[in-house]
Amino acid sequence: MAGMTSAAPGRHYLDVWGVAKSFRGTRVMSGMNFRMDRGELVSLLGPSGCGKTTLLRIIAGLMEADEGDVVLGGRNITRLPAHRRNISVVFQNYALFPHLTVAENVAFGLRARGTAKSACAGPVEEALRLVRMDAFATRPVSALSGGQQQRVAVARALVVQPDLLLLDEPFSALDRKLRETMQVELKALLRDRGITAIFVTHDQEEAMGVSDRIAVMNAGRIEQFADPSTLYARPATPFVMDFVGLSMRLGGRVVESGGQTCIVETAHGRISAPGGFAPGTAVQVGVRPELVAPGTGENTIRVELADAMVLGSKTVLHGAAQEGDRLICEMPGIRTGLARGDAVDLGWSVADTLIHEAAA
Amino acid sequence: MSGRLDRIGLLAVPALGFLAVVYALPLAMLLAKSVQGPDGFSLAEYRAFFADEYNLRVLFRTLRVAALTTALAFVIAYPTAFAMSRAKGIWLTVFLVALVLPMSLGVVVKAFAWSILFRANGVLNSALMGLGLTERPVRMLFTETALVVGAANVFLPFMVLPIYSVIRQLDARLPEAAASLGATPWFRFTRVTLPLTLPGVVAGSAFVFSLAVSMYVIPSLIVGERQQNLSMLIARSFLFLRNEALGSTLAAILLAIAIAVVLGSGWAAARLGARR
């Protein structure tokens, strides 16, 4: 991304440009560029410490960048304090005001902008109806469940009609089933209202579910910024391949290169992969597990099963692999008759094979 | 289960016995004296107390000094508690030591230290005159101002610590959420931070007010007999006037004030906490 800093800022709805940040002398981010369009739902996805929350806080104005600019809707907001940016934040713990009722929480942003108390009632009621919490208006927030608190936090963030909505791990405090329901609900709500939003998350399924595009972050950099299907089918780096979805993974060295394809020597034999890597290059080849099937294919390896897990909707085969490799095959439905210790052939096509230069 | 809880409750028996014998019993006997006339029950002492304008002045002065002391302690303690809540490691230790260590220094020592500061040829007056701000030494010792400053100094930890403990539990995301909703720093402080830290302020104020309304040593050393307060009046009744009825009446009034403060602050804290 470093080569792209020459692009002029301001052409996109949100343009984060050349941002750098240090904590106690340690650079956690430098030359960060991030752009999105109006109405997009984007996720910042990465492991903890990758810089996604730092980027969110810099956009929100809760943290100052050491270098770089943040431009929103053509306005440079880099030096504006948070309360003058019109960017709402939904926090991981929702940060509802414990001394206020549900309705008072939602009215807070309007009151802060000088709206008279009497003029707040209408918008507050509408916002609460939007998240189906209108029956709870007079309750104290401590009496609400996690899912209800999240709805109130969303209503509170939306009632001020923000130019941008930021959500910091908004689903992580909810249990799995509720999380999926809330993801569907929230996505529909944001779409209907044409809200531009950024989700910060470490959960790749959540990111793929709620966003148009995902920026996969690692060590203060964006590794790949693409729509979910591209990210999954064509991961740009070994990190993205590993972080987004599971994959079969084999380390090896290119032994033959013939223009469109090359042949890689691995611990489980030779594998053909698309791409023109020079012979001798250390690479990592991979393939998504649902594209692998028992039996022979264009690429075939023989593995000894470490486990065959019947998970209901799918059956997963794990092969015994050496350190750093992963041998995995997923089949839809329930497959029986395979057990630990069996030797099986696993096959897949050359076109489905992913290949990246191995990290030094 | 309840049997086990009952037995744990027995652990309070020694403390209760101790308090009953050493505190409740003598206090009850003392208070009984205040309503004991020559012919049995009588409120004559109370009537006499409230009829005397001097006594009312003492009562009013006592309350005023306690209120001013509480206010001054609050003004100093509130920002201090915030600074402490942001302090880490060695700095937090420095804060706590600076706060707690002076408590181990007797009030007597402190009072004499203040007199070096406040007296006519003391440090403050020398500085003021040296700067040409005043021609003549300003009287500071033996004034109510000096008393309030001194008392606030002694009681400061009782205001800082409760506020500090509330601020430490304050979710740092709340002011941030308020900011992202468009709240200016002033709006954030008055609508979020201050209301959420009020329980600490109420507790600290109750401590300081109770201590200041009943203090004896500090006013004796700083203002002397010139401006008496309730406690000094009580001491004089018992020690010099040998008037137990008057002394116990004054003690009862002081106790009533203390109880009112405790109940009032408890009510305020419950009201503030009711919506959590």
Side-chain angles (χ1 to χ4, degrees), chain A residues 96-180:
Chain A
L96 297 177
F97 303 120
H99 58 303
L100 303 178
T101 63
V102 167
E104 286 168 338
N105 262 280
V106 177
F108 189 92
L110 297 171
R111 300 285 290 142
R113 285 150 209 247
T115 310
K117 213 170 203 164
S118 54
C120 291
V124 166
E125 205 193 318
E126 194 210 321
L128 283 174
R129 202 173 318 124
L130 209 61
V131 294
R132 295 188 285 110
M133 285 296 290
D134 40 327
F136 295 81
T138 57
R139 303 267 183 99
V141 291
S142 58
L144 305 181
S145 69
Q148 292 169 333
Q149 288 192 22
Q150 196 207 33
R151 290 203 181 109
V152 174
V154 169
R156 183 178 72 173
L158 289 182
V159 76
V160 296
Q161 304 187 317
D163 294 329
L164 178 64
L165 178 66
L166 306 178
L167 303 104
D168 188 5
E169 306 265 5
F171 305 106
S172 64
L174 306 176
D175 63 62
R176 194 187 163 87
K177 280 189 177 139
L178 185 58
R179 196 183 318 166
E180 283 172 7

Side-chain angles (χ1 to χ4, degrees), chain A:
Chain A
M1 297 236 89
M4 292 165 62
T5 48
S6 56
R11 290 205 318 253
H12 294 76
Y13 184 60
L14 174 69
D15 205 328
V16 176
W17 198 57
V19 161
K21 182 71 188 174
S22 301
F23 291 114
R24 296 167 177 265
T26 309
R27 260 290 149 99
V28 296
M29 189 177 284
S30 63
M32 166 64 71
N33 298 316
F34 173 81
R35 305 185 176 89
M36 63 187 284
D37 292 324
R38 187 189 284 269
E40 263 195 304
L41 304 180
V42 165
S43 283
L44 303 178
L45 173 67
S48 63
C50 71
K52 58 190 194 294
T53 299
T54 301
L55 182 55
L56 177 111
R57 292 175 65 80
I58 287 172
I59 294 170
L62 299 173
M63 189 183 275
E64 232 178 286
D66 299 337
E67 295 167 24
D69 288 292
V70 180
V71 179
L72 178 65
R75 186 170 68 135
N76 192 321
I77 59 171
T78 316
R79 302 276 159 249
L80 275 190
H83 66 272
R84 289 177 56 201
R85 291 192 179 196
N86 201 25
I87 296 176
S88 289
V89 183
V90 173
F91 290 90
Q92 182 169 11
N93 66 354
Y94 315 130
L96 297 177
F97 303 120
H99 58 303
L100 303 178
T101 63
V102 167
E104 286 168 338
N105 262 280
V106 177
F108 189 92
L110 297 171
R111 300 285 290 142
R113 285 150 209 247
T115 310
K117 213 170 203 164
S118 54
C120 291
V124 166
E125 205 193 318
E126 194 210 321
L128 283 174
R129 202 173 318 124
L130 209 61
V131 294
R132 295 188 285 110
M133 285 296 290
D134 40 327
F136 295 81
T138 57
R139 303 267 183 99
V141 291
S142 58
L144 305 181
S145 69
Q148 292 169 333
Q149 288 192 22
Q150 196 207 33
R151 290 203 181 109
V152 174
V154 169
R156 183 178 72 173
L158 289 182
V159 76
V160 296
Q161 304 187 317
D163 294 329
L164 178 64
L165 178 66
L166 306 178
L167 303 104
D168 188 5
E169 306 265 5
F171 305 106
S172 64
L174 306 176
D175 63 62
R176 194 187 163 87
K177 280 189 177 139
L178 185 58
R179 196 183 318 166
E180 283 172 7
T181 314
M182 295 302 290
Q183 283 168 8
V184 173
E185 250 179 47
L186 189 57
K187 187 179 180 183
L189 176 64
L190 298 181
R191 278 259 189 277
D192 290 348
R193 314 268 295 181
I195 307 280
T196 312
I198 301 175
F199 291 84
V200 159
T201 178
H202 64 269
D203 181 334
Q204 52 103 6
E205 258 183 49
E206 174 181 317
M208 296 184 81
V210 297
S211 32
D212 302 314
R213 286 196 297 157
I214 300 170
V216 181
M217 292 182 67
N218 181 33
R221 288 173 301 112
I222 293 179
E223 296 253 341
Q224 189 174 7
F225 192 8
D227 60 278
S229 52
T230 305
L231 217 54
Y232 189 77
R234 290 289 143 203
T237 66
F239 178 83
V240 176
M241 181 177 89
D242 241 17
F243 198 78
V244 179
L246 275 173
S247 60
M248 170 105 81
R249 192 175 65 189
L250 287 163
R253 196 167 289 278
V254 176
V255 288
E256 251 185 81
S257 189
Q260 295 302 315
T261 58
C262 54
I263 295 170
V264 180
E265 182 74 55
T266 73
H268 291 264
R270 295 193 164 197
I271 290 170
S272 299
F277 287 92
T281 315
V283 294
Q284 196 176 58
V285 292
V287 58
R288 296 301 183 185
E290 68 278 8
L291 302 175
V292 180
T296 53
E298 289 173 355
N299 281 318
T300 306
I301 57 173
R302 172 156 280 254
V303 303
E304 184 194 330
L305 288 187
D307 203 354
M309 296 176 171
V310 179
L311 299 178
S313 65
K314 61 188 177 188
T315 301
V316 181
L317 305 179
H318 287 276
Q322 67 177 29
E323 181 70 33
D325 289 354
R326 189 194 294 127
L327 302 174
I328 182 170
C329 164
E330 280 183 19
M331 296 167 290
I334 295 171
R335 303 289 186 93
T336 51
L338 288 167
R340 182 184 166 83
D342 291 352
V344 290
D345 282 335
L346 298 177
W348 68 91
S349 73
V350 172
D352 289 336
T353 307
L354 306 167
I355 179 166
H356 299 106
E357 199 166 337

